[in-house]
Amino acid sequence: MKKIAIMTSGGDAPGMNAAIRAVVRSALHYGMEVYGIYEGYRGLCEGRIEPLDRKHVSRIINRGGTILGSARYKEFERLPVQEAAAKRLKDEGIEGVVVIGGDGSYRGALALHRQGIQTVGLPGTIDNDIDSTDYTIGFYTALETAMEAIDRLRDTSFSHARCSVVEVMGRHCGDLALYAGIAVGSEFIITPETGYDEERIVQELISAHQRKKRHAIIVVTEKLTNVHTLADRISQDTPFEARATVLGHIQRGGSPVAFDRVMAIEMGEHAVALLHAGNGGQVVGLKAMEIVNYPIEEALEMVKPIPNKRYGFAGRLREKRS
Ligand code: F6P
């Protein structure tokens, strides 16, 4: 393989740049030419493809976001759009593409692969919702950011004897809330996996207050409820005055933590080795601390086993407080 390209797609995540750098430098090491596709699948369809060399990726290892830009592009689900994109790549002589993103980006990579382009997917999302890897690039950085923010909320929550309701991201996956909640010692962790029971939260806060608890932290995955409405209900129906905070896109930015950088670099190098060996149609993951790869179809069918430790711990937390 002589020419490959790299793109980032979907929500950006800290560590994507470290992966881009690793892909570019590994490809150059193998004597391949590397191209950057800007703005994800939309940019691919619009022909936003430029050569990348060593200098394009210098001093980006520590930068958040993605130097290539990213986009969510629903149109890529359509077959004619996929065919046109594959043709464009073939016309440029690009035989392989590394796509960094989430499940949607993997489906795009599979579509391109079916059109004769060798593709490799890397898991890049703060949500940790990709089943073919234990951890996604960006998750630990977002977790660190959420943890630091909630630590700060705890200071003021304690001073004013309040209840802080904190919404974190994660889409349909509770990992950010779960890990952040454990890391800050929150009183409640509410995720898609634990389910949402407002009545129970109210009752438990009342009994926590009776046990002389001065303040409380509730960490909630986004989309489960309106945290402002929940805070109003708590202020009204429990002895705690409550405040809600939505951490939002703050969680997506910032310099990647060491874990995300190292994992991104190892995954990037692995992706290029796969393409160099002509072994496309794969995604890369980290399983039991080993870098692994699976065929994309298989990866999209996988269901992450829920380790007892993680959800068992959350379960115990919930039981203890019931
Ligand atoms: O997938 C990453 C993520 O940050 C989710 O946690 C969140 O639901 C979504 O993206 C937000 O998307 P957008 O940046 O398009 O508003």
Side-chain angles (χ1 to χ4, degrees):
M1 204 172 281
K2 289 271 173 282
K3 275 192 191 179
I4 67 165
I6 174 152
M7 64 193 268
T8 46
S9 155
D12 64 350
M16 281 182 162
N17 282 328
I20 294 167
R21 174 183 176 275
V23 167
V24 170
R25 296 204 170 175
S26 297
L28 295 174
H29 168 80
Y30 284 115
M32 299 190 235
E33 281 179 56
V34 200
Y35 287 75
I37 300 170
Y38 290 81
E39 319 297 345
Y41 288 100
R42 185 174 60 215
L44 168 60
C45 294
E46 291 170 358
R48 304 192 54 191
I49 305 171
E50 308 277 346
L52 291 175
D53 61 28
R54 285 186 78 82
K55 76 174 185 312
H56 289 106
V57 294
S58 67
R59 287 177 291 116
I60 67 166
I61 199 166
N62 57 336
R63 278 173 59 189
T66 159
I67 59 159
L68 295 176
S70 194
R72 300 188 194 278
Y73 189 61
K74 286 290 276 177
E75 285 85 338
F76 204 76
E77 289 170 12
R78 293 177 46 229
L79 186 63
V81 178
Q82 299 163 0
E83 286 168 347
K87 179 171 182 312
R88 191 182 282 280
L89 288 166
K90 286 175 192 166
D91 289 349
E92 298 269 356
I94 295 171
E95 298 159 273
V97 179
V98 178
V99 182
I100 313 174
D103 272 1
S105 313
Y106 281 8
R107 279 189 286 278
L110 179 60
L112 280 180
H113 186 68
R114 288 182 173 149
Q115 296 299 324
I117 304 291
Q118 299 279 338
T119 51
V120 177
L122 299 190
T125 162
I126 64 162
D127 297 336
N128 207 35
D129 60 350
I130 298 184
D131 294 323
S132 50
T133 187
D134 290 344
Y135 297 108
T136 53
I137 297 167
F139 171 68
Y140 262 99
T141 305
L143 172 60
E144 195 75 23
T145 304
M147 183 190 75
E148 283 175 12
I150 302 168
D151 281 346
R152 284 175 168 78
L153 285 171
R154 180 178 285 284
D155 291 345
T156 173
S157 180
F158 176 83
S159 304
H160 290 267
R162 281 177 177 156
C163 170
S164 277
V165 184
V166 192
E167 179 188 294
V168 301
M169 280 187 165
R171 229 163 31 133
H172 308 296
C173 177
D175 284 13
L176 256 185
L178 177 64
Y179 282 67
I182 291 170
V184 301
S186 74
E187 278 65 32
F188 301 98
I189 301 170
I190 300 164
T191 71
E193 295 83 4
T194 66
Y196 181 72
D197 182 347
E198 192 169 301
E199 218 38 61
R200 184 166 170 195
I201 297 166
V202 166
Q203 291 314 317
E204 289 190 18
L205 280 171
I206 293 170
S207 75
H209 194 266
Q210 283 163 355
R211 295 196 309 274
K212 305 277 180 254
K213 198 130 190 51
R214 181 177 165 82
H215 70 116
I217 306 275
I218 304 179
V219 183
V220 192
T221 303
E222 63 177 344
K223 302 185 201 299
L224 288 178
T225 189
N226 179 322
V227 287
H228 297 282
T229 312
L230 174 60
D232 287 346
R233 166 98 202 267
I234 291 168
S235 298
Q236 210 177 318
D237 292 351
T238 82
F240 288 103
E241 190 187 9
R243 293 285 188 273
T245 306
V246 176
L247 295 186
H249 287 81
I250 296 261
Q251 295 159 100
R252 286 243 295 264
S255 180
V257 297
F259 183 85
D260 280 331
R261 294 186 200 190
V262 173
M263 184 172 70
I265 291 164
E266 291 190 341
M267 287 181 169
E269 289 173 353
H270 192 80
V272 176
L274 286 171
L275 288 180
H276 185 249
N279 190 9
Q282 302 281 318
V283 299
V284 178
L286 183 79
K287 287 278 181 184
M289 300 312 275
E290 290 292 329
I291 300 289
V292 292
N293 54 275
Y294 304 101
I296 307 176
E297 291 99 327
E298 198 183 304
L300 287 171
E301 293 292 309
M302 286 169 102
V303 178
K304 205 185 267 189
I306 299 174
N308 289 337
K309 180 168 154 285
R310 284 165 51 192
Y311 287 87
F313 186 30
R316 280 206 299 281
L317 275 178
R318 293 174 69 229
E319 269 164 35
K320 226 168 68 184
R321 292 182 168 89
S322 62

